[in-house]
Amino acid sequence: MNSVQSNHQVIVIGGGLVGKAAALALTQAGLRVALLAQCAPAQSEHRFDARIYALSSSSQALLERLRVWQALEPARLCPVYDMRVFGDAHAQLHFSAFQAAVPQLAWIVESSLIERALDAALRFQPLLTWCESRAQALQHHPEAVSVTLDDARVLSADLVVGADGAHSWVREQVGAKVKRRDYRQTGVVANFRCSKPHHETAFQWFIDGEILALLPLPDSHVSLVWSARTEHADALLQLDLPALAERIEAATGGASSRQVGTLEGVTPAQGFPLALQTVDRLVAPRVALVGDAAHLIHPLAGQGVNLGLRDVAALLDVMNRKEPFRDLGDLTLLRRYERSRREDIQKLTIATDGLQRLFALPGGLARGIRNVGMAMVGAQPFIKRWLVSAALG
């Protein structure tokens, strides 16, 4: 016979960075939360994780509000003070924190570093129940929603938050329609030690429809994020690290060595497929979607996780402003969250997809137009400040 646990107000399904941030935010707001998630992996044997995030000021502010940022090891954080973007002809863009009058453009942080800090904070929350079981069924009831787990327990709550990634089980249960377009690209990531100081500068090259970025890490290290055509990425992933470093130098025409010197590999390369994914709705009765369950964008601007953390901040704000007569799963309440996120998600989706399409267009005419456009943006300080402001969230 199933055991029913009904002493929860929110069930968060999904154990990535966004899901754990949602669980922590809601339980710190005084709600009884059940989190269905796995613990973060143990610290890697390598110097740095392969998966790196560029966190915006809005993401930093949320993590500070949750008292997680303060727990991160400062020596493993790297600010980005400058960003240099190179077109596939001769155009360049330079973004400067100093010129934009902001402390930094972003923070480069390892994924598991944040997750482990979130895990530690979650363990001290008396209103949180952590379940490492998986959800198997979701049922709506007149005044609650229940989730059956694979160990036969049944959890009941007012609201389910789906933070279970691009292939979301929660989204499937509520029948939300998904539009997905495969970019036919793979993100190749690896970390390197560089022989020259990077001066907290991020570098990005647009190369024949592909995007290669070197992001600064502490102690003269950089993180590679190479959005390459899938067949090219497969070949890159077969290379050892010295050969991959040679490919980076060749792809950038030697510019990488001029900027950061010789690259010495420190973590094996990994790959993940890239796609654009939109959802027709972020909410259903007693269900809200956040993070990759709600949207998936190209990583060229490094804004995917920031978009998800802004989902968390918006959902928390809506819950804090809830009228006393509404419960947490009220569809009217949840639609406020959906409306508050619509513009931000649409703007970033259009911007990242548009840039990817623009630089994927073949031919000399397309190359000339986009590089002239880059040069024009670079000559307009007001536009550059607006772009920095938008990226900061």
Side-chain angles (χ1 to χ4, degrees):
M1 191 172 180
N2 290 343
S3 172
V4 179
Q5 298 182 11
S6 59
N7 59 331
H8 308 293
Q9 292 172 285
V10 183
I11 300 170
V12 177
I13 300 178
L17 192 157
V18 172
K20 289 177 178 177
L24 183 60
L26 293 169
T27 193
Q28 286 185 354
L31 301 177
R32 299 184 304 277
V33 177
L35 172 63
L36 275 60
Q38 303 295 312
C39 290
Q43 185 166 342
S44 170
E45 61 184 84
H46 302 288
R47 178 68 178 86
F48 294 102
D49 292 345
R51 195 68 182 262
I52 302 292
Y53 290 125
L55 295 185
S56 67
S57 294
S58 64
S59 294
Q60 179 189 0
L62 175 64
L63 294 175
E64 285 181 339
R65 181 179 178 184
L66 301 180
R67 297 185 292 281
V68 168
W69 186 263
Q70 298 87 326
L72 299 178
E73 184 182 348
R76 297 184 74 92
L77 308 177
C78 187
V80 178
Y81 295 131
D82 288 274
M83 182 172 185
R84 296 189 177 274
V85 182
F86 303 89
D88 51 358
H90 301 292
Q92 297 185 24
L93 280 174
H94 175 216
F95 296 98
S96 163
F98 176 76
Q99 291 177 356
V102 295
Q104 66 283 315
L105 299 177
W107 285 95
I108 307 300
V109 190
E110 300 159 74
S111 172
S112 67
L113 185 71
I114 308 173
E115 277 203 58
R116 287 195 296 270
L118 285 166
D119 285 0
L122 286 163
R123 292 190 187 100
F124 287 95
Q125 303 304 313
L127 298 178
L128 183 102
T129 301
W130 194 321
C131 305
E132 295 198 4
S133 303
R134 294 184 179 275
Q136 286 195 327
L138 186 149
Q139 291 182 306
H140 286 84
H141 307 283
E143 297 183 354
V145 62
S146 63
V147 176
T148 303
L149 308 183
D150 58 6
D151 60 8
R153 284 182 295 165
V154 179
L155 305 182
S156 179
D158 298 324
L159 172 67
V160 166
V161 176
D164 50 342
H167 303 287
S168 171
W169 175 86
V170 175
R171 188 183 62 222
E172 182 181 348
Q173 301 310 300
V174 300
K177 295 180 181 178
V178 179
K179 289 184 179 179
R180 182 181 175 93
R181 180 161 61 83
D182 190 341
Y183 282 119
R184 298 176 182 169
Q185 290 186 334
T186 297
V188 177
V189 297
N191 298 318
F192 296 84
R193 179 187 296 277
C194 48
S195 62
K196 293 181 181 179
H198 50 57
H199 301 296
E200 289 75 41
T201 301
F203 303 94
Q204 188 173 66
W205 290 268
F206 289 91
I207 308 163
D208 296 329
E210 300 185 350
I211 303 160
L212 190 159
L214 293 176
L215 307 178
L217 290 170
D219 300 327
S220 294
H221 287 75
V222 292
S223 175
L224 166 72
V225 183
W226 192 338
S227 301
R229 286 182 294 275
T230 298
E231 62 276 12
H232 185 203
D234 291 342
L236 293 174
L237 291 167
Q238 296 300 315
L239 301 175
D240 60 18
L241 287 172
L244 181 57
E246 291 178 2
R247 288 290 184 91
I248 294 169
E249 183 171 6
T252 62
S256 63
S257 61
R258 291 193 294 273
Q259 301 291 353
V260 297
T262 304
L263 296 177
E264 177 188 352
V266 295
T267 59
Q270 297 181 22
F272 54 94
L274 305 182
L276 171 70
Q277 192 165 280
T278 57
V279 181
D280 68 336
R281 53 197 167 100
L282 302 187
V283 301
R286 302 196 176 279
V287 175
L289 302 176
V290 297
D292 286 354
H295 40 70
L296 196 62
I297 63 174
H298 197 283
L300 65 87
Q303 292 297 307
V305 71
N306 295 312
L307 201 59
L309 290 174
R310 291 203 290 273
D311 293 342
V312 172
L315 183 63
L316 178 62
D317 184 61
V318 167
M319 294 298 129
N320 284 336
R321 295 171 181 267
K322 178 184 73 66
E323 299 92 340
F325 63 85
R326 296 191 191 280
D327 75 29
L328 299 174
D330 189 309
L331 190 56
T332 299
L333 183 70
L334 297 180
R335 281 179 175 149
R336 294 175 190 168
Y337 158 70
E338 184 178 54
R339 287 194 299 271
S340 73
R341 297 301 300 133
R342 184 175 295 128
E343 182 180 358
D344 187 23
I345 293 170
Q346 285 181 345
K347 283 195 305 185
L348 262 180
T349 300
I350 292 169
T352 55
D353 186 55
L355 281 171
Q356 194 279 332
R357 286 173 181 263
L358 177 63
F359 278 88
L361 287 173
L365 178 61
R367 182 180 296 110
I369 291 173
R370 60 187 173 238
N371 282 273
V372 167
M374 281 186 67
M376 291 175 64
V377 170
Q380 300 294 326
F382 172 78
I383 296 177
K384 290 204 296 182
R385 284 196 298 270
W386 179 84
L387 289 172
V388 170
S389 177
L392 292 174

